[in-house]
Amino acid sequence: MIEVRNLRKTYGPFTAVDGITFEVPRGEIFGFIGPNGAGKTTTMRILSTLLEPTSGEARVNGLDVLEFPERVRQLIGYMPDYAGVYEGIDVVEYLDFFAAAYGVERSRRRAAIEGVMELTDLGGLRHKMAPSLSKGMRQRLILAKTLLHDPAVLILDEPAAGLDPRARIELRALLKELGTMGKTIIVSSHILTELADMCTSVGILEKGRIVAAGSIATILDRLHPGRTLALRTYEPEKALEVLARFATVQVLETADHTVRLNHTGEEPEIAEIVRALATAGVSVLGLSEEKANLEDLFLRITRGEVQ
Ligand SMILES: Nc1ncnc2c1ncn2[C@@H]1O[C@H](COP(=O)(O)OP(=O)(O)OP(=O)(O)O)[C@@H](O)[C@H]1O
Ligand SMILES: [Mg+2]
């Protein structure tokens, strides 16, 4: 649905986007992650036809953004990282104004507005004046505006910025819901963990280049092939003897009756390991898989430690 090939954007001698390539298939939620100045907004503005690339290609549903900007605009909903709201109008009037601007037919406008207000939970705020909305309410209003013409593709630039933890969780749930409705979504953030559980894939951008891309599981697997397991037992010494027999097991550390290990074999082998431990008389109190530390992963990638 979205294809970006060797995209570059320079401002004079400065290169903001340095030849990036990625694809987002239909129905996927793609997380665009990177530190300040990485080039996220620049790329999203190019995809939204608001900025011309210096070279390379960007296509939405097969349509080149430079050749067919009008048709691309009909397909996408772009939520900028900062958007103002107007004085003197309330939430419904604001949405009505944009529905008209997006060419939503008059007969369908009412239903479109009610639909997006329900989706973004704005119903209770319908007559609140737009400038008096809190940051979180305003983000929801801008997202609602982005959805008015029922675009197939959403390009959301840091929609969670400035939201409180509850609002972030609600936003995540909303984006997941939009994903299940079949929308293709690109969403940017500085924070990998924020996007991890809702994105089907991510691209990590650093100084205008993609330094890692794919599903989070794939990226993690490249960093630590296999899985990290924590084995709880009162007999760690005996457990270590058994574990040493498995070429696929690497013990990371032993502390407080817990042996942490990395296992690179196939999953069914874990059952064999447990059986071997039991046969050797090691009582297994628990065996759990440790969640990868995504913050750590992000820092290592952006420091150039992972390629
Ligand atoms: N109009 C412009 N003129 C010159 N440089 C620009 C312009 N717009 C952006 N840049 C530069 O391009 C780089 C990428 O900016 P961009 O806004 O795309 O980053 P970003 O990843 O969205 O960052 P942030 O997380 O801070 O939003 C930055 O170094 C920025 O200073
Ligand atoms: Mg930005």
Side-chain angles (χ1 to χ4, degrees):
M1 195 67 177
I2 294 173
E3 299 162 80
V4 171
R5 294 256 168 282
N6 297 322
L7 193 71
R8 275 173 61 82
K9 177 71 188 178
T10 56
Y11 295 104
F14 181 77
T15 304
V17 173
D18 196 5
I20 64 171
T21 297
F22 65 90
E23 249 174 58
V24 187
R26 186 182 303 273
E28 300 260 319
I29 304 184
F30 179 80
F32 212 26
I33 300 156
N36 290 131
K40 304 179 296 295
T41 297
T42 305
T43 307
M44 291 175 126
R45 286 176 60 86
I46 292 172
L47 277 169
S48 309
T49 77
L50 298 171
L51 198 64
E52 291 197 355
T54 306
S55 63
E57 273 178 39
R59 292 175 183 277
V60 177
N61 205 16
L63 299 168
D64 189 284
V65 293
L66 276 178
E67 255 179 276
F68 303 102
E70 292 295 332
R71 289 176 64 191
V72 168
R73 266 174 235 164
Q74 282 164 10
L75 284 171
I76 61 163
Y78 170 61
M79 178 170 172
D81 51 352
Y82 177 79
V85 290
Y86 305 111
E87 299 283 334
I89 55 172
D90 68 17
V91 164
V92 173
E93 287 163 339
Y94 178 88
L95 292 173
D96 191 59
F97 172 80
F98 278 99
Y102 289 159
V104 177
E105 281 170 41
R106 193 174 287 272
S107 58
R108 284 198 51 252
R109 239 177 258 168
R110 187 86 244 154
I113 292 169
E114 290 303 323
V116 297
M117 282 203 302
E118 191 182 325
L119 210 51
T120 54
D121 210 12
L122 277 173
L125 302 173
R126 62 178 64 231
H127 295 304
K128 209 165 161 83
M129 297 308 274
S132 68
L133 296 174
S134 76
K135 172 85 182 168
M137 296 168 183
R138 192 181 288 217
Q139 290 293 88
R140 273 190 280 159
L141 176 60
I142 294 165
L143 181 60
K145 170 201 105 162
T146 306
L147 296 169
L148 276 169
H149 58 304
D150 196 22
V153 176
L154 295 173
I155 299 173
L156 312 175
D157 198 357
E158 293 189 46
L163 298 188
D164 67 29
R166 168 181 291 277
R168 277 168 193 257
I169 291 167
E170 285 170 3
L171 177 76
R172 270 207 294 264
L174 172 60
L175 295 190
K176 272 190 186 170
E177 191 181 336
L178 291 166
T180 59
M181 286 163 67
K183 305 219 181 270
T184 307
I185 304 175
I186 296 196
V187 50
S188 72
S189 174
H190 301 121
I191 310 163
L192 181 61
T193 38
E194 188 169 281
L195 297 182
D197 75 325
M198 75 177 182
C199 290
T200 44
S201 61
V202 297
I204 298 179
L205 202 63
E206 160 85 341
K207 298 200 183 92
R209 290 172 178 271
I210 294 208
V211 290
S215 73
I216 289 185
T218 315
I219 297 174
L220 281 173
D221 208 47
R222 216 175 312 141
L223 184 63
H224 288 302
R227 53 187 75 75
T228 302
L229 300 171
L231 167 71
R232 254 189 81 66
T233 174
Y234 291 143
E235 298 112 345
E237 294 303 325
K238 244 201 278 180
L240 290 176
E241 279 172 35
V242 176
L243 292 171
R245 289 187 230 146
F246 291 87
T248 51
V249 169
Q250 188 202 353
V251 173
L252 303 171
E253 62 172 345
T254 308
D256 299 335
H257 303 304
T258 300
V259 180
R260 287 182 64 242
L261 57 102
N262 192 58
H263 176 239
T264 48
E266 299 292 323
E267 202 172 24
E269 198 190 24
I270 298 172
E272 279 174 45
I273 296 172
V274 173
R275 219 173 296 129
L277 287 164
T279 308
V282 178
S283 39
V284 176
L285 303 172
L287 183 68
S288 53
E289 185 164 343
E290 285 189 0
K291 279 244 172 215
N293 182 337
L294 293 173
E295 294 296 358
D296 177 54
L297 171 74
F298 180 65
L299 290 174
R300 290 182 62 182
I301 290 172
T302 53
R303 255 190 257 129
E305 288 178 26
V306 185
Q307 291 305 324

